[in-house]
Amino acid sequence: MDFTLNADQLAAQKMVRDYVAKEVMPTIGEWDRKQQMNPEILPRMAELGILGISIPVRYGGQGFDYITLGLVCEELERGDTTLRVVMSVHHGLNSMSILQWGTEEQKQRFLTPQARGEKYAAFCLTEPGVGSDVVNMASTARRVGDKYILNGEKMWISLATKAHHFLVVAKTNPDAGHRGMTAFIVTSDMPGVTTGDIHGKLGVRAGSTGWVAFQDVEVPVENRIGEEGEGFKVAMGSLDNGRFTVATGAVGLIRACLEESIKYALERKTGGKPIAEHQLIKQKIGYMQQWYEAGRLLCLQAGWMKNQGIRNTQATSLAKWYATDHSVQAALEAVQIHGAYGFSDEYPVERYLRNSKGAVIYEGTSEIHQLMQADYAFGFRADHPLRCELPAYNADEWQREA
Ligand SMILES: Cc1cc2nc3c(=O)[nH]c(=O)nc-3n(C[C@H](O)[C@H](O)[C@H](O)COP(=O)(O)OP(=O)(O)OC[C@H]3O[C@@H](n4cnc5c(N)ncnc54)[C@H](O)[C@@H]3O)c2cc1C
């Protein structure tokens, strides 16, 4: 494994770092306070090519590799978690699933406008009654001729009121457990689709989180992703990609905590010297540095495996669990280093703390990842070394025009 960043990776990293520094960081605190999503964010991310960064050029994307996707997520979350959440659902959970499982016709119809940023995409798995326990979901899709009749409600859906395309998983055979689930692309203009926002959230306040309800929605068979009964497999593949973006984003949040804490510790004085010179403050900074570097390496490992086309469920889960848990720790320490100012929105660290908490809940709670890792350790589960349905990265092919 060679983790030296190549010219493409460095260019994408710099482009997003500059965008975040100039256009996001100066105003994000205000949007967070207003609890609204800045309407310029999605069109600007589209314009910069970020929404299709690691999708082949022939499908409207930029043709960069999966490590670049991770670097972009790190930079976005250095600014604010809400921008990385966009990448998790639009790019990781939805677009990459169509790349992985969609037919050529579906790639033209759904993936291409998503990668170009002409359409926004979301992912609908969680329901009011189930999150971790997806096998017991209540949404149903009943086949009638060349359509499915979809009924149900999805909850805690990022971009619920902004997205044009939803990747929805529902039960087509309620008695068949995880083999009775099927995935579909549902568009927001289909009769029977309604959406709304959730208010009063602890974090990601400058983002969009809501619910999506389906009442007798007629979904054409050609919108089915994968075969009937493969919805669980599709959803788990989606999570391998979404979790990678969450993990790399969390690394960016740790970096944000570290950078803001270093700045403050060098300025703030007690006992006639900067608090940076106190050993207990250095200890916190030392830990944050350790969490950043270790999290980054776990993410690079997972990104490298994706580039090679190696099944990476375990590596991605470990990166997600480690980086998100430690982003909460880093945010707690950052607030502590800022003293009373850390308790106020005059500094960004209180927002980091609130935002960090979401990522240990979505895309598999920390408890679920801990259980997964224990099962890998016991040998109760194992990733097939070669079987990875996500296409391996191939620069020549991915950067070729249609
Ligand atoms: C900001 C935000 C954005 C989100 N965006 C999306 C989205 O775009 N699309 C989407 O589909 N979902 C989304 N979610 C939902 C998220 O994926 C779920 O909240 C998550 O899967 C956990 O489900 P739950 O909240 O129902 O908790 P539960 O599954 O009810 O879990 C409750 C508690 O029990 C623990 N627990 C559950 N099962 C076990 C077990 N077997 N062993 C030990 N402990 C267990 C959990 O770890 C947790 O601590 C989002 C959530 C948030 C907060």
Side-chain angles (χ1 to χ4, degrees):
M1 284 185 223
D2 176 3
F3 289 149
T4 316
L5 300 184
N6 64 33
D8 274 359
Q9 292 163 342
L10 288 169
Q13 184 188 50
K14 181 175 180 330
M15 183 268 288
V16 181
R17 190 173 290 181
D18 290 349
Y19 159 61
V20 166
K22 287 190 197 124
E23 300 181 41
V24 178
M25 282 160 72
T27 57
I28 192 69
E30 216 177 291
W31 289 101
D32 187 82
R33 223 169 286 136
K34 281 198 269 192
Q35 305 203 23
Q36 277 173 27
M37 189 167 188
N38 176 351
E40 288 171 10
I41 295 277
L42 287 170
R44 187 72 178 124
M45 285 173 76
E47 192 181 12
L48 292 171
I50 297 172
L51 294 182
I53 195 84
S54 298
I55 300 295
V57 170
R58 69 180 182 284
Y59 298 127
Q62 302 297 312
F64 289 103
D65 72 344
Y66 300 116
I67 286 183
T68 309
L69 172 65
L71 296 170
V72 164
C73 289
E74 177 181 332
E75 295 308 319
L76 290 172
E77 192 148 359
R78 170 65 187 92
D80 194 62
T81 301
T82 54
L83 278 82
R84 191 273 307 150
V85 169
V86 168
M87 292 302 279
S88 294
V89 299
H90 174 96
H91 196 301
L93 290 164
N94 189 315
S95 295
M96 286 170 76
S97 304
I98 302 176
L99 180 67
Q100 189 166 352
W101 305 103
T103 61
E104 187 58 30
E105 191 265 340
Q106 289 170 335
K107 288 176 188 165
Q108 296 299 337
R109 201 151 54 101
F110 302 122
L111 176 60
T112 302
Q114 289 175 197
R116 288 191 186 130
E118 296 159 0
K119 301 282 183 196
Y120 306 135
F123 178 77
C124 300
L125 191 62
T126 307
E127 299 184 350
V130 296
S132 312
D133 193 19
V134 287
V135 172
N136 287 314
M137 66 169 51
S139 296
T140 57
R142 188 169 45 87
R143 175 107 186 224
V144 180
D146 58 358
K147 294 190 172 80
Y148 287 88
I149 309 298
L150 176 66
N151 280 286
E153 191 183 344
K154 298 291 180 179
M155 184 76 177
W156 291 106
I157 305 305
S158 304
L159 297 185
T161 56
K162 314 278 181 219
H164 306 93
H165 298 164
F166 301 106
L167 178 57
V168 181
V169 182
K171 286 267 177 85
T172 38
N173 181 355
D175 300 325
H178 71 277
R179 292 184 200 283
M181 296 155 79
T182 304
F184 306 91
I185 295 289
V186 177
T187 58
S188 57
D189 57 1
M190 285 180 178
V193 178
T194 48
T195 64
D197 285 316
I198 294 173
H199 300 285
K201 292 176 296 180
L202 173 70
V204 291
R205 290 184 174 173
S208 152
T209 320
W211 52 266
V212 186
F214 309 102
Q215 192 179 2
D216 294 328
V217 179
E218 295 187 5
V219 185
V221 168
E222 56 266 26
N223 283 30
R224 191 183 67 212
I225 301 292
E227 297 301 320
E228 193 169 303
E230 286 189 339
F232 186 78
K233 191 166 88 169
V234 171
M236 293 306 117
S238 307
L239 287 169
D240 278 352
N241 300 326
R243 285 169 181 169
F244 177 66
T245 64
V246 177
T248 49
V251 168
L253 189 54
I254 298 173
R255 198 178 99 216
C257 294
L258 189 54
E259 288 176 359
E260 295 299 329
S261 298
I262 289 172
K263 197 161 62 176
Y264 189 80
L266 290 170
E267 282 165 8
R268 180 75 176 176
K269 289 188 175 146
T270 65
K273 59 181 182 183
I275 60 168
E277 291 180 26
H278 297 306
Q279 219 170 36
L280 288 174
I281 298 293
K282 280 190 181 166
Q283 185 190 44
K284 295 181 196 306
I285 298 289
Y287 275 128
M288 285 155 92
Q289 179 73 15
Q290 180 195 51
W291 301 332
Y292 173 68
E293 295 293 348
R296 192 165 177 274
L297 283 171
L298 287 173
C299 288
L300 283 168
Q301 173 179 253
W304 177 85
M305 290 171 83
K306 284 181 191 298
N307 279 350
Q308 308 303 311
I310 300 171
R311 181 76 186 265
N312 54 84
T313 304
Q314 179 183 11
T316 302
S317 155
L318 187 59
K320 193 272 181 186
W321 177 34
Y322 181 90
T324 58
D325 261 13
H326 287 92
S327 72
V328 178
Q329 291 304 314
L332 278 168
E333 296 294 30
V335 169
Q336 195 67 15
I337 288 170
H338 282 68
Y341 291 101
F343 204 67
S344 127
D345 67 3
E346 197 183 327
Y347 286 85
V349 290
E350 63 84 35
R351 175 164 50 85
Y352 300 162
L353 179 58
R354 289 186 289 99
N355 284 346
S356 69
K357 197 58 194 149
V360 291
I361 296 172
Y362 48 69
E363 303 217 26
T365 63
S366 291
E367 289 80 2
I368 294 299
H369 288 290
Q370 190 164 12
L371 290 171
M372 282 173 69
Q373 293 302 322
D375 284 349
Y376 281 113
F378 276 121
F380 298 157
R381 66 185 288 169
D383 290 349
H384 189 290
L386 298 175
R387 214 193 77 223
C388 179
E389 291 83 0
L390 183 71
Y393 182 68
N394 178 325
D396 289 343
E397 197 196 313
W398 282 45
Q399 296 185 352
R400 198 179 308 137
E401 299 285 339

